[in-house]
Amino acid sequence: MSKKNTEDNKDKKQHVPVVTDASLAFFEKYINNPSPTGFEYMGQQLWLDYIKPYIDEYYTDNYGTAVGVINPTAEYKVVIEAHADEISWFVNYITNDGLIYVIRNGGSDHQIAPSKRVNIHTDKGIVKAVFGWPAIHTRLGGEKEEAPSLKNIFLDCGCTTKDEVEALGIHVGCVITYEDEFMVLNNRYYVGRALDNRAGGFMIAEVARLLKENKKKLPFGLYIVNAVQEEIGLRGAEMIAHRIKPNVAIVTDVTHDTGTPMINKITQGDLACGRGPVVSYAPAVQNNLNKLLIATAEKANIPFQRQASSRSTGTDTDAFAYSNDGVPSALISLPLRYMHTTVEMIHKEDVDNVISLIYETLLNIEAGQDFRYIK
């Protein structure tokens, strides 16, 4: 090892894990439970059951957004928020010979679908199926290969007629999720589907746990929000923001690790798993609140990265920022590899550091704090 590398390792602060074994067991269960957009309620119940010991009260809205509250009578309200829904598919058309064509529910990627195993959710229970795809031998004929698209990907559930498919309880509108589950890779990464963004829901729940276990008394009301329907337009956050009417909102979601192949850093920025939470710059991000995040990270020696968004962040930050005459909002992102696939990947230390940054920031917010630029 070179002298420089030795010095760098000496200077690096020893990482102290935040996530406990019990927390990790919940995280795995939470990730493995399907919560497709519009059908999040089972996952929301799991999340509420986990967070209940750390909050004073909770409520849900008509579409399933769940809110845990600490200090519910306080006038000044601070939100920490993530979204609960995952991308999925809808049954759209059943052929006479028993094959099923689909449409997206959220930003599902048609290119990864072929050969994937799925669960079709019906009133009769889960029906197993696969995304079929013609064998390579049959595609070699001198013609240009046809790429996967919404026009040609299809499900096969082992039936040979439409009547047989419908007898299983499958109908147009049934939602479909991948069956891939959570794992830990090389004791460094968490891997699974729906880390976008149930990892966020997990992290804000862990903030509530730390506040309770460390006996911290906040001078404001804290609203821990796990919103639905982000993947189709930030809809859950839009609804709940008007109900809570917060004074401040800190949102956490995932962002792209741009260090893997076929991603252009010139357009996507230079971000990587393992280098810490990502602080965003965007019109919806309130600069004084953002400065507080950065000052908190620097004081607590939490590593962080920076990202710029041209118009919108594409996250629930935008929904909160532009609600209720304008709510000072900021975004803390978790770097993630392979977004909207079944092998989304996040770094264990980044998860700990996002939790720590949100937690430490809350301890630095004062009741009635005015974030306006001009007073």
Side-chain angles (χ1 to χ4, degrees):
M1 183 181 289
S2 70
K3 181 180 178 183
K4 182 180 186 304
N5 286 340
T6 304
E7 290 172 352
D8 287 346
N9 287 338
K10 281 181 181 178
D11 292 339
K12 186 178 179 182
K13 179 186 174 185
Q14 183 69 30
H15 179 78
V16 179
V18 175
V19 174
T20 66
D21 289 343
S23 301
L24 185 58
F26 162 70
F27 190 26
E28 180 172 359
K29 183 178 180 182
Y30 184 47
I31 290 298
N32 289 345
N33 179 83
S35 289
T37 301
F39 301 82
E40 300 93 344
Y41 39 87
M42 286 180 62
Q44 293 293 69
Q45 187 64 63
L46 285 175
W47 184 82
L48 281 171
D49 289 344
Y50 179 74
I51 202 173
K52 280 176 186 176
Y54 314 128
I55 58 177
D56 296 323
E57 63 180 46
Y58 71 91
Y59 58 84
T60 61
D61 72 5
N62 289 329
Y63 279 84
T65 291
V67 183
V69 189
I70 298 172
N71 299 340
T73 60
E75 183 177 347
Y76 196 78
K77 300 175 184 179
V78 176
V79 159
I80 57 174
E81 192 261 11
H83 74 83
D85 59 318
E86 66 177 291
I87 57 170
S88 56
W89 302 96
F90 279 124
V91 172
N92 189 51
Y93 169 60
I94 304 170
T95 70
N96 289 332
D97 52 0
L99 298 177
I100 299 167
Y101 286 83
V102 300
I103 58 171
R104 292 186 178 97
N105 185 17
S108 299
D109 187 347
H110 53 274
Q111 293 204 44
I112 69 161
S115 83
K116 297 301 296 182
R117 304 181 187 203
V118 301
N119 294 321
I120 304 176
H121 300 262
T122 80
D123 291 339
K124 294 182 178 181
I126 297 293
V127 176
K128 296 290 185 178
V130 298
F131 273 108
W133 194 245
I136 187 171
H137 318 69
T138 67
R139 306 199 311 267
L140 301 176
E143 298 178 4
K144 184 177 180 181
E145 285 204 36
E146 193 172 357
S149 72
L150 279 178
K151 295 178 181 179
N152 61 23
I153 59 173
F154 62 92
L155 289 175
D156 188 333
C157 62
C159 295
T160 57
T161 67
K162 181 176 181 179
D163 288 343
E164 195 179 352
V165 172
E166 291 178 339
L168 294 175
I170 299 170
H171 56 75
V172 170
C174 282
V175 71
I176 304 149
T177 57
Y178 295 114
E179 65 173 24
D180 301 70
E181 294 191 337
F182 181 90
M183 69 175 180
V184 179
L185 188 65
N186 195 28
N187 198 33
R188 181 176 292 142
Y189 293 100
Y190 302 128
V191 178
R193 35 161 271 283
L195 294 178
D196 173 14
N197 179 35
R198 286 207 288 284
F202 170 69
M203 293 187 296
I204 59 175
E206 288 296 274
V207 172
R209 176 179 66 81
L210 291 181
L211 290 169
K212 184 75 169 183
E213 291 179 355
N214 295 334
K215 297 181 172 60
K216 297 296 183 180
K217 301 295 183 184
L218 298 174
F220 48 77
L222 180 65
Y223 292 72
I224 304 145
V225 178
N226 208 10
V228 299
Q229 299 195 24
E230 186 272 350
E231 294 288 357
I232 48 89
L234 323 181
R235 297 307 188 188
E238 181 182 309
M239 290 184 275
I240 204 66
H242 290 288
R243 176 167 176 176
I244 297 172
K245 294 181 171 55
N247 299 95
V248 178
I250 298 172
V251 173
T252 186
D253 206 328
V254 296
T255 192
H256 302 285
D257 177 330
T258 62
T260 57
M262 298 186 290
I263 299 178
N264 187 343
K265 291 182 180 180
I266 294 173
T267 58
Q268 299 297 319
D270 185 7
L271 303 168
C273 291
R275 295 207 313 233
V278 177
V279 176
S280 281
Y281 295 83
V285 173
Q286 212 275 350
N287 291 312
N288 287 335
L289 178 57
N290 217 30
K291 289 176 181 177
L292 178 62
L293 294 182
I294 293 168
T296 298
E298 291 173 341
K299 183 177 179 181
N301 202 18
I302 298 170
F304 68 94
Q305 307 173 73
R306 303 178 198 255
Q307 179 177 33
S309 297
S310 180
R311 293 177 62 85
S312 69
T313 69
T315 72
D316 284 342
T317 311
D318 306 326
F320 276 93
Y322 302 131
S323 71
N324 303 295
D325 301 325
V327 175
S329 301
L331 173 61
I332 301 174
S333 297
L334 177 69
L336 177 142
R337 292 182 171 186
Y338 320 126
M339 192 182 296
H340 286 200
T341 72
T342 58
V343 290
E344 294 180 332
M345 183 184 298
I346 54 178
H347 200 290
K348 292 169 65 175
E349 291 188 8
D350 289 339
V351 171
D352 291 336
N353 284 323
V354 170
I355 295 166
S356 296
L357 181 53
I358 298 173
Y359 172 82
E360 295 292 343
T361 300
L362 291 176
L363 300 182
N364 288 330
I365 294 177
E366 300 172 0
Q369 189 160 348
D370 187 346
F371 287 94
R372 288 179 298 164
Y373 304 126
I374 303 169
K375 301 171 186 177

